[in-house]
Amino acid sequence: MTGSSSTAKDHDRGESAAPPQADGRTGEQRLECNVCQYRVDPTDESAFTVFPCHVRAFEGQQFKVWRCPTCRTIHCLDVVDLDLYYSKYPFAGMELTWPFRIFYRNLTRRFTKHGFSRRRSLLDYGCGNGTFVEYLRGRGFDNCHGYDPYGKPDGTGDAAILDRGPFDFVLLQDVLEHVEDGRVLLGEMDGHLKPGGHILV
C-alpha cells in the first residue's frame, strides 16, 4: 500500500499532528491519493474495506483501506507510525534458503538482460537483512551493497553504506508499497545513481 504526503484533520487545519497512539496510529487520515490526487470521501463507508495486520507482533489490529478509483492504487486510511511496525517486521530474520536461492537466481538473470554484470555496482535498498546481496556476492558480484533503514545499526541499517555510491543500479524490491510517499523515495534514490543508472522496481 502506498501513502500520501497530504493528510487530513490536523494538517488541514494547520495544527501540529497528534502523537502516535498505542497501536501505531497517528490520529491522521490519508484522504488523497499520492499518485493522481483523487480525494476519497471519508463518510462513504462503501469506499473502505477492513484488513487485519499481517505482522505477528501486531496480531489483532485492523486497518481500513481504500482503492483509488482513478489509478487503482491502494491506501491505508489511517496514517501510522511506520517505524513501530517495521521494527518488528519478520524479514529481518530471513535466511538464504533454497526457495530464495531459486528466486534470486531468476531475478539476477532478469537484471543481466538489462546490463547488470559483475563490473557494475548495485544498491539493494530496503534489503531486510541482506540475503539478496549475500546471494550476489557468493556468485562474484562483489560490488553489491544492501541498506535497510530498519536494519541493525551495525549491519544493513548503517547509513554509511549509502556513501559507497553512486551506484549503477538501485533495487527497490517490494519497497515502494511500504513507504509513506513513493515519489519522495524515488527522488532520494535518483541521488544515489550514477549518470545513466537505473532504478529497478
Side-chain angles (χ1 to χ4, degrees), residues 9 13 27 33 63 72 81 83 90 120 134 140 145 158 163 183:
K9 293 188 175 177
R13 294 195 302 266
C33 175
F63 299 93
R72 310 302 291 169
D81 177 11
D83 289 351
R120 299 292 188 92
E134 177 186 347
H145 310 276
D158 183 0
D163 296 333
R183 296 170 300 178

Side-chain angles (χ1 to χ4, degrees), residues 123 125 147 158-167 189 192:
L123 170 67
Y125 187 95
Y147 173 72
D158 183 0
I161 293 169
L162 301 174
D163 296 333
R164 298 173 187 174
F167 304 93
M189 294 304 100
H192 294 300

Side-chain angles (χ1 to χ4, degrees), residues 11-182:
H11 280 277
D12 282 350
R13 294 195 302 266
E15 299 173 5
S16 59
Q21 300 175 16
D23 65 355
R25 291 176 172 85
T26 64
E28 300 175 0
Q29 290 185 326
R30 180 177 297 104
L31 301 176
E32 185 177 289
C33 175
N34 69 336
V35 176
C36 68
Q37 285 70 59
Y38 169 85
R39 193 169 179 85
V40 70
D41 179 359
T43 65
D44 181 8
E45 287 297 325
S46 67
F48 304 100
T49 302
V50 176
F51 276 93
C53 182
H54 70 279
V55 178
R56 183 173 298 173
F58 303 101
E59 189 175 6
Q61 293 187 24
Q62 295 183 326
F63 299 93
K64 281 186 176 181
V65 301
W66 58 276
R67 183 188 292 273
C68 175
T70 304
C71 68
R72 310 302 291 169
T73 306
I74 298 175
H75 304 272
C76 182
L77 176 63
D78 292 309
V79 177
V80 301
D81 177 11
L82 291 175
D83 289 351
L84 173 66
Y85 290 97
Y86 291 126
S87 67
K88 300 183 183 297
Y89 211 59
F91 282 105
M94 191 172 70
E95 296 180 358
L96 189 56
T97 58
W98 279 109
F100 279 111
R101 290 179 186 276
I102 294 171
F103 172 75
Y104 290 153
R105 180 187 64 192
N106 294 334
L107 192 62
T108 304
R109 287 175 178 172
R110 289 171 58 193
F111 290 174
T112 55
K113 291 180 181 179
H114 296 282
F116 181 55
S117 69
R118 290 177 174 83
R119 293 179 289 109
R120 299 292 188 92
S121 59
L122 178 139
L123 170 67
D124 183 2
Y125 187 95
C127 67
N129 61 355
T131 52
F132 184 44
V133 170
E134 177 186 347
Y135 173 86
L136 289 172
R137 288 181 176 173
R139 277 143 190 81
F141 295 87
D142 297 325
N143 201 10
C144 294
H145 310 276
Y147 173 72
D148 195 303
Y150 301 102
K152 295 181 179 179
D154 58 348
T156 59
D158 183 0
I161 293 169
L162 301 174
D163 296 333
R164 298 173 187 174
F167 304 93
D168 294 300
F169 295 87
V170 172
L171 171 63
L172 297 174
Q173 181 175 243
D174 298 328
V175 170
L176 283 179
E177 68 270 29
H178 294 281
V179 298
E180 191 63 34
D181 192 330

